[in-house]
Amino acid sequence: MSKVHQLRGSLVEARRELRTRGVEVDSDSRFNLDSDDGFKFIPRPAGSGSNYVEPPTPAPSPIASFHVLDSWISRFDIDGESVGGQVDLSTDERITWLMDAIGGVKGNRILELGPLEGAHTKMLCEAGASSVIAIEGSRASWLHCLVVKEIFELSQARFLYGDFNHYVDQYQGPPFDAVLACAVLYHQLDPVSLISGLSRLTNTVLVWTSLADDGFPKPAMEVEVSGYRGRKMNYHEDRNLIQNYCGGVDQEAVWLYHDELLRCFADNGLSRIESKPIERPDWGGAPHILFAASR
Ligand SMILES: C[S@@+](CC[C@H](N)C(=O)[O-])C[C@H]1O[C@@H](n2cnc3c(N)ncnc32)[C@H](O)[C@@H]1O
């Protein structure tokens, strides 16, 4: 995923820089953020005058199902063929580390926030989770998840479409054994309320997130959310210009500083932290951290 962040980060930076120099980036197709056509259903042109020819329907197969949708971000191995996007998330070492940190997920009920295309969901199911409820807020990504569920027969997984903040707020059911929050906290307008909500429905939260520091996010806009300090990130440009944007459901988000993030988990009773050291990518990206927080 960091490759995706890196590429997107440099494109957005370059556009900002060009704009400050007075270059009309928005009206010039050379500076488009995404040359991909993006996810879309192409309606069959109506009318007898059309010379459109419907492509032949293939024999049913997992690969045929996969290619019903295009613009995949994740790469998958299907029947010995490697297909999809650039990022292999179904062997993601972050998820392996997080599962190991809690002694595995065999028999566990998991809530997954923002599954993207279901690659991590697949890992959780294959590691023996008894059920995974995965909530995805991008329509395109949710449909990709459904295809992945069908192809890999992830019968324990259920993919819900919508904003997971509402789900967490309103949840009344039995506790989850763990919540996976990988690359989602720094896309939320109010990560503090989300963490507090999560602490009511589980004793264990598995996190990978970007962190605020002196250089991130840019431009610096210090904020305080319910007593926790961070910086505001504006995703407006990404969200509205990138086809298949796979960040969050809000235009802005708050990134918490490292200590503030852990203080927030601790204040909500999740004070046992097993963490990897903070990483600072050598390509100049934001610092990030991987940890399991439990009660
Ligand atoms: C940066 S991607 C991370 C995807 C995946 N978890 C991973 O680590 O590779 C963030 C994902 O979370 C989803 N997302 C972010 N905020 C959300 C929200 N409030 N409700 C539902 N989905 C959300 C996005 O649509 C996207 O699929």
Side-chain angles (χ1 to χ4, degrees), residues 17-288:
E17 178 67 30
L18 288 166
R19 251 209 218 109
T20 59
R21 294 184 197 179
V23 178
E24 292 284 325
V25 287
D26 295 319
S27 54
D28 189 329
S29 61
R30 286 174 305 161
F31 303 118
N32 276 352
L33 278 168
D34 197 337
S35 57
D36 194 323
D37 267 343
F39 165 83
K40 57 183 183 294
F41 282 116
I42 306 170
R44 186 189 301 219
S48 52
S50 163
N51 54 8
Y52 173 83
V53 179
E54 177 74 7
T57 302
S61 73
I63 286 279
S65 305
F66 189 83
H67 289 306
V68 167
L69 298 182
D70 53 20
S71 303
W72 288 88
I73 292 166
S74 329
R75 211 158 180 77
F76 291 92
D77 245 342
I78 301 176
D79 293 341
E81 208 180 312
S82 178
V83 286
Q86 301 290 319
V87 206
D88 183 359
L89 289 169
S90 35
T91 55
D92 193 331
E93 285 172 6
R94 295 173 300 176
I95 304 305
T96 309
W97 187 90
L98 288 168
M99 290 193 292
D100 287 349
I102 58 166
V105 294
K106 216 173 176 49
N108 285 1
R109 286 187 71 239
I110 310 274
L111 173 66
E112 182 185 3
L113 308 182
L116 186 63
E117 293 167 344
H120 291 166
T121 324
K122 175 173 178 285
M123 289 182 81
L124 293 166
C125 292
E126 287 171 354
S130 61
S131 79
V132 183
I133 293 184
I135 306 173
E136 178 48 59
S138 143
R139 287 173 294 169
S141 298
W142 180 67
L143 290 171
H144 284 84
C145 288
L146 298 187
V147 171
V148 163
K149 173 177 159 74
E150 197 55 40
I151 291 176
F152 295 103
E153 300 181 35
L154 307 180
S155 55
Q156 319 92 297
R158 173 118 203 265
F159 290 99
L160 308 180
Y161 165 68
D163 181 342
F164 53 63
N165 287 287
H166 295 292
Y167 182 90
V168 170
D169 262 2
Q170 290 156 17
Y171 186 74
Q172 303 272 341
F176 289 94
D177 295 304
V179 175
L180 176 60
C182 186
V184 291
L185 285 182
Y186 62 98
H187 282 292
Q188 310 310 309
L189 203 47
D190 188 350
V192 173
S193 291
L194 177 59
I195 292 166
S196 157
L198 292 177
S199 74
R200 280 186 276 103
L201 51 81
T202 189
N203 288 331
T204 303
V205 185
L206 309 175
V207 179
W208 184 94
T209 189
S210 293
L211 298 165
D213 78 354
D214 288 347
F216 290 96
K218 275 185 266 185
M221 203 222 231
E222 296 287 332
V223 286
E224 202 175 289
V225 183
S226 312
Y228 299 92
R229 287 182 311 105
R231 283 188 179 203
K232 199 165 250 189
M233 171 73 176
N234 189 332
Y235 286 110
H236 183 85
E237 185 157 10
D238 299 32
R239 203 171 137 68
N240 300 312
L241 289 178
I242 298 179
Q243 298 262 17
N244 281 0
Y245 172 67
C246 63
V249 301
D250 294 310
Q251 306 279 357
E252 291 185 322
V254 170
W255 295 23
L256 294 175
Y257 289 104
H258 176 238
D259 292 352
E260 297 289 88
L261 176 67
L262 295 193
R263 184 166 71 84
C264 182
F265 273 98
D267 290 348
N268 284 287
L270 302 169
S271 54
R272 271 184 38 217
I273 303 289
E274 182 162 350
S275 175
K276 295 260 275 187
I278 296 177
E279 278 191 52
R280 290 170 199 280
D282 46 18
W283 47 268
H288 49 254

